[in-house]
Structure formats: C-alpha cells, structure tokens
Amino acid sequence: MFSSLSNKVLVDTYFNAVKLELDEDFIKLLEEEIDRRGIQVDMVERMVKP
C-alpha cells in the first residue's frame, strides 16, 4: 500500500498522522510498513528533531 513512498515521506507521514491524531488503523498500517522496511522510528525522530 505504501511501497511507492520514499522512507522520508513514509516517516513524515507517520509523524504527521500521530500529531494530528488520525485514525489508529491508519497509523498502525504506517507503523507496519516502517517495521517492514527496518526503519527505527526512535532513531529517525532524534535525527529530525533539533
């Protein structure tokens, strides 16, 4: 479903979905895709935030 998104867009979408408190099922799908790609969100969050 999200395979055409770059890693950056996927992670940005995830953080925005959480921030905007979007549907939990949508956020879960994003989390599953992030996990499938082996992206560690906590490491990305530290890199993105100042």
Side-chain angles (χ1 to χ4, degrees):
M1 177 180 210
F2 300 108
S3 60
S4 63
L5 296 178
S6 70
N7 288 352
K8 180 181 180 347
V9 171
L10 178 63
V11 171
D12 287 346
T13 301
Y14 169 76
F15 284 126
N16 286 328
V18 170
K19 180 179 177 182
L20 295 171
E21 300 178 357
L22 297 183
D23 183 71
E24 288 183 25
D25 290 335
F26 179 67
I27 293 171
K28 180 77 172 161
L29 288 172
L30 291 168
E31 288 173 344
E32 289 172 359
E33 180 64 19
I34 288 169
D35 287 343
R36 188 186 72 74
R37 294 186 190 191
I39 301 169
Q40 295 180 355
V41 174
D42 58 336
M43 303 226 13
V44 172
E45 188 174 23
R46 283 195 294 268
M47 290 172 20
V48 172
K49 292 186 177 181

